[in-house]
Amino acid sequence: MKKVMVSLLVLGLMLLTPLSVLAEVKVVPSIPNDPTSESEDDQGLVKVFPIYVELTGDPGETFTDNSFKFEFEFGPAIKDFVCEDYGDYTATSDGSVGAGAVCTFASDAQAGTGKIQVGTISVLVDKNAKDSDCTIKYMLGEASATFNKPNPNTGATIPYEIILGGLALAAGAYVVANKKTKLYKI
């Protein structure tokens, strides 16, 4: 009877252990060196750069509640910046050119794995500045992506509560049976 009880206990533990391991989500930012558009006005050159984020994970994963906080440091030739929305992502900005700028791109829509554009940044550059003064340094800080992984198809259709209840009943029956059994020596 002890072998049966141990077997039931092992089977119960196997059913409770996770059936898959979730891989770590990686978020890789990228902004191309060349602007998508460039125009000139009275104050200088306006250059627009797309902002991309690459989400890596298991196939079939979807990401929700995406929030990507980019921190920027601008060279002395950059006079101003504007973060702009793109698609489902809404942009908010804080800070200034000299003191450190922050753009946050957030969306409630689901996104799959791969490279996605989350927004754009437009910068106003002094027309007469040297190229070395036109640098834009960026860092993706406090990036978060909460993802929903589809449940793996295990083939099991019995809810865990029923399995656990059956194990509890089996354990109770075993204990009661051992207390009522009396051994007689002949």
Side-chain angles (χ1 to χ4, degrees), residues 16-107:
L16 293 177
T17 56
L19 299 174
S20 64
V21 177
L22 298 178
E24 183 179 333
V25 177
K26 294 183 182 176
V27 181
V28 180
S30 66
I31 298 176
N33 289 331
D34 297 323
T36 56
S37 68
E38 189 174 324
S39 60
E40 188 173 339
D41 65 11
D42 296 340
Q43 298 176 347
L45 295 172
V46 176
K47 296 183 178 187
V48 179
F49 295 92
I51 297 177
Y52 295 100
V53 172
E54 185 170 354
L55 302 171
T56 59
D58 293 335
E61 287 181 338
T62 55
F63 300 85
T64 58
D65 299 328
N66 303 310
S67 178
F68 305 103
K69 183 178 178 182
F70 282 82
E71 298 174 18
F72 293 97
E73 291 179 14
F74 299 110
I78 308 290
K79 295 180 179 182
D80 199 9
F81 78 99
V82 176
C83 301
E84 298 172 344
D85 301 344
Y86 184 83
D88 293 328
Y89 289 87
T90 305
T92 56
S93 60
D94 294 322
S96 62
V97 171
V102 176
C103 292
T104 304
F105 304 95
S107 174

